[in-house]
Amino acid sequence: MKMKTLNEISPFDGLIDLEEVKLYLRVVGTEEDELIKAFVLAAIKKAETITNRSITQKEFIYYLDNALEFELPYPPFIELVSINAENYELDDRDELAKIVLKETQDVEVRYKAGYDELPEDLKVWIYTTTATIYENRENFSDVESYEIPNRFLDSMLDKYKVRYFV
């Protein structure tokens, strides 16, 4: 199994509103826009790592050897772009799409995943994590020795966690 990300749409192209984040942070002006964008991206990457989901929209190539039945990682599934198999079924009724092949084979799947619109609690998590990073930015000179306390905040992501069993 091997996976590669091809394209990623910026979260600021419709998913996250920078002005809304700045309002949440109580920031006026544009001097820190790039810094705030970097913190939002860091929060999104952290959410993706914790949940095994694709928050921003991405296109993936997923390679599997001797596959017969498999789920496409990093939901929510948007669309199947291509698959190098002719006899397959796609079950995309859930966020975690499943492909069943008629016979075992090596397969390459291109698909898109990510959110068109963020659920409100994910957005709150991203904004709050961004605010926490923003407010504690002076403490990140030694990143390895400083960790933001966030057990309660991270528990908001529990219902979004996707677990894979191999």
Side-chain angles (χ1 to χ4, degrees):
M1 174 186 81
K2 189 168 74 170
M3 187 133 198
K4 183 178 175 183
T5 305
L6 295 178
N7 302 312
E8 182 171 357
I9 296 174
S10 169
F12 301 102
D13 289 340
L15 197 61
I16 299 288
D17 180 355
L18 179 61
E19 293 307 314
E20 193 174 277
V21 175
K22 289 168 58 176
L23 183 64
Y24 190 86
L25 298 175
R26 297 186 177 120
V27 172
V28 178
T30 60
E31 298 83 22
E32 294 187 317
D33 282 5
E34 294 307 310
L35 179 67
I36 293 167
K37 285 180 179 180
F39 291 161
V40 168
L41 292 173
I44 289 171
K45 293 299 179 202
K46 182 175 182 182
E48 290 178 335
T49 300
I50 291 171
T51 64
N52 288 318
R53 287 179 172 269
S54 183
I55 304 297
T56 59
Q57 290 187 17
K58 299 175 185 66
E59 185 173 331
F60 296 102
I61 297 183
Y62 191 37
Y63 306 94
L64 292 123
D65 297 328
N66 297 316
L68 183 61
E69 182 177 309
F70 56 94
E71 293 175 330
L72 295 174
Y74 305 107
F77 175 79
I78 298 173
E79 76 174 296
L80 184 64
V81 176
S82 67
I83 183 169
N84 68 340
E86 291 185 22
N87 297 319
Y88 68 91
E89 290 181 22
L90 171 66
D91 179 359
D92 61 353
R93 292 174 288 184
D94 295 325
E95 286 185 328
L96 194 60
K98 182 178 182 178
I99 293 180
V100 179
L101 303 169
K102 299 299 182 192
E103 58 188 48
T104 302
Q105 60 187 291
D106 295 347
V107 67
E108 176 184 299
V109 180
R110 288 179 72 152
Y111 70 99
K112 293 181 182 178
Y115 286 95
D116 288 325
E117 187 174 321
L118 280 177
E120 199 59 34
D121 51 348
L122 271 179
K123 187 183 286 189
V124 167
W125 188 92
I126 290 167
Y127 286 14
T128 304
T129 301
T130 300
T132 304
I133 296 169
Y134 182 81
E135 291 166 6
N136 291 282
R137 62 191 178 275
E138 299 296 323
N139 296 321
F140 288 109
S141 58
D142 184 9
V143 176
E144 300 215 359
S145 67
Y146 187 78
E147 188 173 321
I148 299 171
N150 56 6
R151 286 188 188 118
F152 170 74
L153 185 61
D154 287 352
S155 72
M156 292 174 65
L157 297 177
D158 286 349
K159 72 180 184 180
Y160 292 100
K161 288 181 181 177
V162 178
R163 290 173 177 81
Y164 300 104
F165 301 99
V166 180

